[in-house]
Every structure is written in structure tokens, then in C-alpha cells.
Amino acid sequence: DGGITQSPKYLFRKEGQNVTLSCEQNLNHDAMYWYRQDPGQGLRLIYYSQIVNDFQKGDIAEGYSVSREKKESFPLTVTSAQKNPTAFYLCASSIRTGGSTGELFFGEGSRLTVL
Amino acid sequence: GENVEQHPSTLSVQEGDSAVIKCTYSDSASNYFPWYKQELGKRPQLIIDIRSNVGEKKDQRIAVTLNKTAKHFSLHITETQPEDSAVYFCAARPGAGSYQLTFGKGTKLSVIP
């Protein structure tokens, strides 16, 4: 069953702790993305990667880090430097090949709460 | 960078009526405009999209129109049904070679039975 899987679905963290959110896809997509969703704020891009071992900052990258060691995986680390980390995080993937519309396929999201 | 404004933020309609959501974008080089629907507790999913070389696209009860001169595009839903209730996001993608989408802030549509 092809798709994009995020884990964990819910995560609680104490202030000052780093936490890593997992994102795995078996769609053979080149590009992967992390978005943050806050009420009334839409979807804001944190980081994206168009190819293995390469990634770029999005609009709100401060306090976050990523890696792309495998095509299938794009984990996001929320560091203690992120001042307001409580949010819903969505991972997505898309085909990168020219001519494609680049439709985003989203995971089910991870809800992070900082206590 | 690209900036996408979406209105209204909330919209309530009676079942069977039409709903219209409007978006404006800032980058005249943007060439692709998708709409995503996110039902409560679920992931966003693409429902319709339009490229800059087309003025209108229709898929059953939903349609999207694009005015490149004015830099705005709209989602039209006719004969609304309760299952249309969701948050709708518009987005724009800057020119060729970019796969980065900039999203609007979303419209919460409620269809009242």
C-alpha cells in the first residue's frame, strides 16, 4: 500500500529537549517537504529536499533541522532553539521530474505539544 | 518571495447553495495553482488545479478560474453537500523549475444541512 507515513502521531516534549519526527515514503518520489500548520496560519514550509543529500530552508527554518540520507526518509528535528514548537507538522512528497505538476502527497501529520 | 492571500477565512452556506473562495498571488511568474481540501483530522488532499495557460477548469461540482492579469484565482463549489465541509487551501508555485508551493491561510467551509 503506497503512501507517506509519519510517526509518532502525537508527541509531548519538555522545554529544552530536542525531538525528531519521522517521515517515510514508498512512492519513489524525489522531493520531500516539511510543513507546519497552526490554526489560521495555513501551511508554512520549514524545509524541503529535491534530491538525496540535498535540502533547502523554507520560510520558517529557524529552530529546525533535517537530513536526507535516503530517498525514502526525511526526518525533522525540532530543536530547543525553536521558540514556539507546539504545532501540527505535515510531511509531504512529490515527483520532481520536469513536466509534472508536483502534486503534494501528505502524511497524516504529527502533533507536537511542548509541556 | 511569493505571497498568497485567501478570503474569506470562514464561510457558511446552506446545503445546495454555491460557495466561492478567492485567492490573490504576488509573483507574476507563478504558473501553477492547486487547491487542497483538508477534512477535520485528516491530511490535505489535492482536489483541483490549474496551470497559467488555462483560464478555467471544471471537475463535476468544483471549478477553478484564473485571472493572470489581476493575479487572482477562485474556487467555485456548486450544489454544496455536507461532505464539502472542510478547510480549503489555495496555493501558488513560482516559475519553471520550482516545486515549492506557497499556501494561503485557508478557508473553513461549513455546509449547513
Side-chain angles (χ1 to χ4, degrees):
Chain A
D1 190 20
I4 184 164
T5 302
Q6 289 185 241
S7 63
K9 194 169 183 178
Y10 299 96
L11 186 60
F12 297 89
R13 187 194 89 177
K14 293 182 180 179
E15 279 193 27
Q17 290 180 335
N18 293 355
V19 62
T20 298
L21 308 180
S22 170
C23 179
E24 303 277 334
Q25 55 100 358
N26 60 6
L27 300 169
N28 199 32
H29 286 170
D30 290 304
M32 297 188 74
Y33 312 78
W34 275 104
Y35 285 90
R36 172 176 170 146
Q37 185 173 20
D38 296 285
Q41 292 296 316
L43 303 173
R44 293 182 291 169
L45 183 64
I46 304 172
Y47 268 98
Y48 66 102
S49 168
Q50 294 186 311
I51 198 167
V52 173
N53 292 323
D54 187 47
F55 48 84
Q56 288 80 40
K57 293 182 179 180
D59 300 318
I60 55 166
E62 186 176 351
Y64 299 98
S65 66
V66 294
S67 64
R68 186 88 186 275
E69 297 177 1
K70 299 187 301 181
K71 186 176 185 178
E72 302 79 17
S73 179
F74 191 42
L76 173 74
T77 296
V78 184
T79 75
S80 57
Q82 169 47 236
K83 298 199 183 309
N84 186 20
T86 295
F88 188 59
Y89 292 89
L90 283 163
C91 180
S93 68
S94 73
I95 297 172
R96 189 179 70 93
T97 307
S100 164
T101 59
E103 176 184 353
L104 294 179
F105 292 83
F106 286 91
E108 292 193 328
S110 293
R111 186 167 296 282
L112 172 63
T113 303
V114 175
L115 304 173
Chain B
E2 175 66 276
N3 182 48
V4 177
E5 299 282 341
Q6 182 172 347
H7 299 280
S9 57
T10 60
L11 179 61
S12 291
V13 299
Q14 291 291 134
E15 182 176 357
D17 286 351
S18 295
V20 180
I21 302 170
K22 299 182 179 181
C23 289
T24 59
Y25 61 98
S26 60
D27 187 347
S28 56
S30 288
N31 62 2
Y32 173 65
F33 308 92
W35 287 87
Y36 285 80
K37 174 184 180 182
Q38 186 177 27
E39 297 178 21
L40 188 63
K42 296 191 176 180
R43 70 189 81 190
Q45 291 188 301
L46 180 71
I47 54 171
I48 195 167
D49 56 13
I50 191 166
R51 292 181 184 262
S52 58
N53 58 349
V54 176
E56 184 174 358
K57 184 176 179 181
K58 191 173 182 181
D59 182 4
Q60 299 183 338
R61 294 187 299 107
I62 61 172
V64 58
T65 58
L66 171 65
N67 183 326
K68 285 177 58 181
T69 303
K71 290 191 283 188
H72 69 70
F73 57 112
S74 300
L75 178 71
H76 305 253
I77 306 174
T78 58
E79 301 172 17
T80 53
Q81 301 168 4
E83 51 265 38
D84 295 327
S85 295
V87 178
Y88 292 80
F89 295 98
C90 63
R93 188 180 71 192
S98 173
Y99 286 84
Q100 202 175 334
L101 286 176
T102 298
F103 285 85
K105 293 187 177 182
T107 296
K108 183 177 181 181
L109 173 65
S110 300
V111 179
I112 304 164

